[in-house]
Amino acid sequence: MATRPTLGQLGLDTGKKARLHRILHQHGLRNGTALFLPYDQGFEHGPRDFFANADASDPKYIVRLALEGGFNGIVLQIGLAEKFYWDFAGELPLVLKLNGKTDIPSDAHALSPVHASVADAVRLGADAVGYTLYVGTPAQEQDFVQYRRVRADAQRLGMPLIVWAYPRGAAIETKGGKDSFYAVDYAARVASELGADVVKVNFPHPKKQSGVPDQYTATFSSQDAIDAVVRSANRTMVLVSGGAKAGDDAMVDKARQSMAAGATGLIFGRNVWQRDHDESMRFVARLREVLAKYDSAP
Amino acid sequence: MATRPTLGQLGLDTGKKARLHRILHQHGLRNGTALFLPYDQGFEHGPRDFFANADASDPKYIVRLALEGGFNGIVLQIGLAEKFYWDFAGELPLVLKLNGKTDIPSDAHALSPVHASVADAVRLGADAVGYTLYVGTPAQEQDFVQYRRVRADAQRLGMPLIVWAYPRGAAIETKGGKDSFYAVDYAARVASELGADVVKVNFPHPKKQSGVPDQYTATFSSQDAIDAVVRSANRTMVLVSGGAKAGDDAMVDKARQSMAAGATGLIFGRNVWQRDHDESMRFVARLREVLAKYDSAP
Amino acid sequence: MATRPTLGQLGLDTGKKARLHRILHQHGLRNGTALFLPYDQGFEHGPRDFFANADASDPKYIVRLALEGGFNGIVLQIGLAEKFYWDFAGELPLVLKLNGKTDIPSDAHALSPVHASVADAVRLGADAVGYTLYVGTPAQEQDFVQYRRVRADAQRLGMPLIVWAYPRGAAIETKGGKDSFYAVDYAARVASELGADVVKVNFPHPKKQSGVPDQYTATFSSQDAIDAVVRSANRTMVLVSGGAKAGDDAMVDKARQSMAAGATGLIFGRNVWQRDHDESMRFVARLREVLAKYDSAP
Amino acid sequence: MATRPTLGQLGLDTGKKARLHRILHQHGLRNGTALFLPYDQGFEHGPRDFFANADASDPKYIVRLALEGGFNGIVLQIGLAEKFYWDFAGELPLVLKLNGKTDIPSDAHALSPVHASVADAVRLGADAVGYTLYVGTPAQEQDFVQYRRVRADAQRLGMPLIVWAYPRGAAIETKGGKDSFYAVDYAARVASELGADVVKVNFPHPKKQSGVPDQYTATFSSQDAIDAVVRSANRTMVLVSGGAKAGDDAMVDKARQSMAAGATGLIFGRNVWQRDHDESMRFVARLREVLAKYDSAP
Amino acid sequence: MATRPTLGQLGLDTGKKARLHRILHQHGLRNGTALFLPYDQGFEHGPRDFFANADASDPKYIVRLALEGGFNGIVLQIGLAEKFYWDFAGELPLVLKLNGKTDIPSDAHALSPVHASVADAVRLGADAVGYTLYVGTPAQEQDFVQYRRVRADAQRLGMPLIVWAYPRGAAIETKGGKDSFYAVDYAARVASELGADVVKVNFPHPKKQSGVPDQYTATFSSQDAIDAVVRSANRTMVLVSGGAKAGDDAMVDKARQSMAAGATGLIFGRNVWQRDHDESMRFVARLREVLAKYDSAP
């Protein structure tokens, strides 16, 4: 429906445009779409995420997977970026994830502390930084304060800023939950209002309506919902997240609907590496087929 | 009743006077009154505010509306200002709203975190900055601390400071509520005591008297109340807010009473853009008719 | 009883001595005593304090009153100082009140946030700064931290520091209350231990004994109590506060006892301006009569 | 038992050694022992501590007492140091106490905020600074953070750091209480681990055993306990505090046991000045007799 | 199983590599393994830890023990490092422990405040710094914030960073407890994701399964568990902690399993010095026998 915004329409400074051009037009399908491999689950969930495929515990295996799979970038926390990106530096864009947390304590006042700076990303040759913003958390004051510093540094250093816009916290649980259409739509808008260059969202669930505002209690299809989310993001490019591992056909369908809505790309982790190497490659090939249909001019 | 203060009476530094002159005498009716279009509701309330008129979800549509309607300025958060003001830079004054929050978590300890600096406003060519001060919130310590930095920066950079003086928080709920005469009157005074150049207030409701101090339990007309609020603001110029969408005649009446009381102008958002384009223009025309009667010398 | 300390005995730096000399010997009665007009009640209590005399809502009226009444200084918050002191700059010493708060939320953890800097006071030509210290508040850590910065800046810039030493908070309520002899005596001492040049106290009530330490449960006259308070303040000059409006004879009596105890002066607001202009002048004349009896050498 | 550490064994920087030499070998008995007069009780407890001897309310009286009594130093907060030390500057070493609090609010989360800097101590010609560390308080994070800054400044400026190591807070109350052997022993060790040059402790009570770890439930004499405490302090010199006023013989006995254990000296306030002048002098003479027996080389 | 990473594989900056080389190849067995003596228990637990062997209370005794036992380094807090390392400076690598706390208040929101800087470590000639990270604590926001500064300083100054990765806090108590396989495995991974050069872990207990995620409820041997932990640490070198004193054979067995799993070394304190001198030496000899079997190239 909506057309994907091209880089020329986003009012970007030179450094941000140069780096996003590298990601979108010099890697992956080189057609303006993007497929990212996130690898911070060992931090966010712990090593249990690697029990399904023990190889996935090794960061080197994952970076290689991203290269072989023709991804547009890999997402790492500072520790793994410093220890494992050197081997492949320059071969694959690096997105340095700047904040993160364990899932051990309660999420009721969720906040994701910053572990690295935009200057670290520059030092490591990264092409973008990632920041998790917990939209709706009671700790939003602290979250916004640290986000503001990241945004200002990214602006100053010409570094594209990808915001993981995640509804979270006690209040959102009583208003539809974290992947309701209401919550995801609001989160996409917040990222745009606060200056994200790219926003990562979960796929919205229009049927989760318990406690949501009236406007979201009508009947919406999945396509209606993702269309609205992309519209709410306006000139912020949208990446749709894979989330926990699910059936391949369902995932590919989500991908298609997202791209049809005007998303710029996909960011799939566990769905990719929680299986053996060759299955991973086969699944990635199906995602690339979808993306190939959405060529956009640089 | 009271006379609107002219720019010469406010003890303004040169930069503030220059920018306010631009807003009040070189845009809109160019007669010293002001009509502002605020557009941060996608952040403060979420995209649900755009369901009444889907076009309003698009910031470009809104900026155009402000231009066509002859507004004195548009109010945007940093993200939309960076992405959408470039197209119209200089054609319309920009008020960069520096703080804001979602309405997802509880408002009992309301605080509106800062997302951008006065220096960002300078960089973007804005003519004023906006700050929401939650008067009476239990979080007033933090609020005042961040407000102080904004005020000092605005003073240093000659940037007019518009304070959204909003009574809010658990205590005010037991003392008349956030739009009682008592609460609005106090809020206007606080903005003036703390150095706002312009204060945005809600229209006061003199009948909301439950829990207010004795002095506010007498019988007051709406006109009495708004007169008092403007007096409490003394040399701080007053903008009266439209609030949620209501009947046109009632809104125009509020506008008249406000200007009669000595307010400098109006700041109406949802009442303007929660309807289709031509209806918006017709309503704006009625507001301009009111403002046209209150010419004041520069 | 005690003799008022003279400026030469206080161990003051040059700048502080110069400014206090201006206040005590070049304004008011020019005899080393002081009468101050505080005007921050619109912030601390809200505009309701002006309902008794509507003129008092206008800061210009108040500054004029201070001039006509021969006060030694007027106390204003930053906003009113910037907007109204210019008209009379130099004619009357300005005390810039640096912190303050509304009385809307609970006082159980009272803290008065800082709104302006000592440097602001210098910029505006003020001759002293004021700081409210809530002695005994559970928030004393934060209070002392911000007080420390003010004290250090005042020391560096040669600016006299007047401390509003106000017992406040949940604990003091169970130990005699905020104007008990115990609480006021302790507060005066704290101001002295922490480097105040001048301390403003409420008049102590020796009969409020519920919950106070044993030492304060004996029988003390008012004069005993205020004598002790001035002694506890040692080389910190004492100003006694008028508080809420009360009968004129009672107020003048308080003033006499305070000066007899060795206080340097009075700081009366609502008792002065919550009546019409001529009554205000008559009451001020009575206070000046008291002060005239306590001439002290420079 | 243990030998008092000499200055040469403490690994001190030049400035610290110079200042401690001045205190220990150029004042008092000039034999390497120390007797300090603390005078911050007007802040920590309020003026009630002066009701036993009204003269003690006057800081000038106290400084004179310290001079006449041949003390090695007087301990003052910033306000009294600025107002009263000038008269006697250089005649008697000054210990600037950097933090302190009132005893009005609850001590359950005890924290002693900082009121002056090490640089203030340098400016005033002080020979040491004092810091109260509330060992075991639930607010230990904040306490350690502000302590760290003081320690670093003291190291940078060559200023000896005396730590008031006081077990305090809700948890310690259930583990033997603030003057149990367990608590005092732990506190002495913490001061040593965290870099105190000198530690001030209360005399330990080995019979307070309710809730203490097993190791402290054996039978210990007072001498055993103070021996252990001095050993735990290792190369941090120990001062034993007098505490609230008690019988003279008991106090002198404590002093003897402390010095026998290897303490460097005593710090007695209320036991000294809560009596009339001549009695004070007689009591001080008895303490000096004890100290005279523990000559140590510089 | 896993091979120990060599220094050349870790992507280390020059300064870090130089200092780790000194520790691993120029002290101890000089074969790339490590045996550290930690001595901060007087702070973390109090002097009670020294009751089993009174000599151990004296830091000088401990430093000598480390030298005689051929340890690769001794771990001290700032106070003891400043007072006792001078005597042996250069003879034995120093690990300056940068944070720590008492065990007096509750651990439910565990946080270990920072007491010294990486710059202090440089000043004292240390070859590494230590930081305790309480993985899973509800205070993780504060913990990560202070950790981040330490990591950045260590990176800037080329100082190896050893992270004590300790699961702790109310939530972990309900998820297997602090030494469950789940908790230790997660902690090792977090240290690696956040840029530790070396991680110190407790030996994991695979039978503690109450409340752990499903993946950890299968049957695992001790060897399985420690293998997994070392794998989760990937290119972060692993040190296994001795913990409270236990039987010698059991301890030596732990050591063997750890080294077989690919750990780089051991860090044993109480098991070493809570016995008399000669017994200590005999036990250390057994540990060295184990380490001698795991020679690795520099």
Side-chain angles (χ1 to χ4, degrees), chain A residues 142-223:
Chain A
Q142 292 164 265
D143 200 3
F144 286 148
V145 164
Q146 66 176 7
Y147 170 74
R148 180 190 169 186
R149 284 197 205 110
V150 167
R151 185 194 58 71
D153 286 347
Q155 200 265 333
R156 188 172 49 82
L157 294 166
M159 181 64 69
L161 171 54
I162 307 179
V163 170
W164 270 235
Y166 279 7
R168 202 64 56 95
I172 210 72
E173 288 312 304
T174 66
K175 298 182 179 176
K178 63 191 181 182
D179 55 0
S180 62
F181 174 21
Y182 162 65
V184 174
D185 197 24
Y186 201 157
R189 182 75 186 195
V190 167
S192 163
E193 296 256 353
L194 294 184
D197 299 305
V198 183
V199 61
K200 179 194 187 211
V201 294
N202 286 311
F203 199 91
H205 286 231
K207 284 180 187 153
K208 298 203 172 171
Q209 299 189 339
S210 151
V212 303
D214 287 352
Q215 292 88 341
Y216 290 90
T217 55
T219 302
F220 300 98
S221 68
S222 295
Q223 189 67 56

Side-chain angles (χ1 to χ4, degrees), chain D residues 15-33:
Chain D
K16 288 191 176 195
K17 188 155 177 280
R19 289 185 172 94
L20 284 173
H21 188 272
R22 195 143 61 213
I23 291 172
L24 297 173
H25 296 282
Q26 298 179 357
H27 286 89
L29 292 166
R30 297 161 195 268
N31 71 343
T33 65

Side-chain angles (χ1 to χ4, degrees), chain B residues 241-256:
Chain B
S241 166
K245 190 155 181 288
D248 285 10
D249 291 345
M251 294 309 296
V252 170
D253 215 51
K254 266 197 201 182
R256 252 184 220 123

Side-chain angles (χ1 to χ4, degrees), chain A residues 55-112:
Chain A
D55 288 342
S57 165
D58 180 5
K60 192 160 194 173
Y61 170 85
I62 296 290
V63 184
R64 273 201 186 120
L65 205 65
L67 268 171
E68 291 176 60
F71 280 77
N72 296 68
I74 186 160
V75 182
L76 298 173
Q77 286 279 350
I78 182 74
L80 302 191
E82 287 186 345
K83 294 191 188 78
F84 292 92
Y85 185 62
W86 188 91
D87 299 340
F88 307 92
E91 300 180 39
L92 179 72
L94 170 66
V95 178
L96 187 66
K97 185 78 198 310
L98 300 185
N99 64 346
K101 64 174 190 55
T102 73
D103 68 354
I104 299 171
S106 160
D107 242 14
H109 291 75
L111 180 72
S112 185

Side-chain angles (χ1 to χ4, degrees), chain A residues 43 57 79 83 104 123, chain E residues 155 175 186 189 193 235:
Chain A
F43 184 24
S57 165
K83 294 191 188 78
I104 299 171
R123 169 171 64 89
Chain E
Q155 198 265 334
K175 298 182 179 175
Y186 202 156
R189 182 76 187 194
E193 296 255 353
R235 288 183 179 165

Side-chain angles (χ1 to χ4, degrees), chain B residues 9-11 13 16 135-138 140-142 144-145 147-148 151-152 155 171-172 175 181-182 185-187 189-197 213 215-216 220 228 231-236, chain C residues 39-51 54 56-60 77-80 82-84 87 100-106 109-111 113-118 120 123 142 146:
Chain B
Q9 294 173 317
L10 302 181
D13 291 332
K16 288 192 175 194
V135 176
T137 175
Q140 70 180 350
E141 290 92 358
Q142 293 164 265
F144 286 149
V145 165
Y147 170 73
R148 180 190 169 186
R151 186 195 58 73
Q155 199 265 331
I172 210 71
K175 298 182 180 176
F181 174 20
Y182 162 65
D185 198 23
Y186 202 157
R189 183 75 187 195
V190 167
S192 163
E193 296 256 352
L194 294 185
D197 299 304
Q215 292 89 340
Y216 291 89
F220 299 99
R231 218 158 44 227
S232 289
N234 50 74
R235 288 183 179 164
T236 295
Chain C
Y39 187 62
D40 60 348
Q41 294 83 354
F43 183 25
E44 298 283 343
H45 312 141
R48 67 184 159 97
D49 273 15
F50 308 131
F51 279 57
S57 165
D58 180 4
K60 192 160 194 172
Q77 285 280 350
I78 183 72
L80 301 191
E82 288 186 345
K83 293 189 189 80
F84 292 92
D87 299 340
K101 64 173 190 58
T102 74
D103 69 354
I104 299 171
S106 160
H109 291 74
L111 179 73
V114 168
H115 303 292
S117 63
V118 180
D120 283 322
R123 168 171 64 89
Q142 293 164 265
Q146 66 175 8

Side-chain angles (χ1 to χ4, degrees), chain E residues 229-292:
Chain E
V229 168
V230 174
R231 216 159 44 226
S232 289
N234 50 74
R235 288 183 179 165
T236 294
M237 289 183 285
V238 174
L239 299 178
V240 177
S241 168
K245 191 158 180 288
D248 285 10
D249 291 345
M251 294 309 297
V252 170
D253 215 51
K254 265 196 203 183
R256 253 185 220 121
Q257 292 185 19
S258 301
M259 296 308 292
T264 291
L266 308 168
I267 176 160
F268 277 37
R270 284 168 289 171
N271 279 282
V272 170
W273 45 253
Q274 282 187 341
R275 43 178 117 203
D276 75 32
H277 177 269
D278 296 352
E279 270 193 70
S280 292
M281 286 298 115
R282 273 192 292 273
F283 179 63
V284 168
R286 291 188 64 186
L287 297 177
R288 285 168 61 93
E289 262 176 59
V290 175
L291 295 178

Side-chain angles (χ1 to χ4, degrees), chain D residues 131-148:
Chain D
Y131 181 94
T132 297
L133 189 75
Y134 284 131
V135 176
T137 175
Q140 71 181 349
E141 290 92 355
Q142 292 164 264
D143 200 2
F144 286 149
V145 165
Q146 65 176 8
Y147 170 73
R148 179 189 169 188

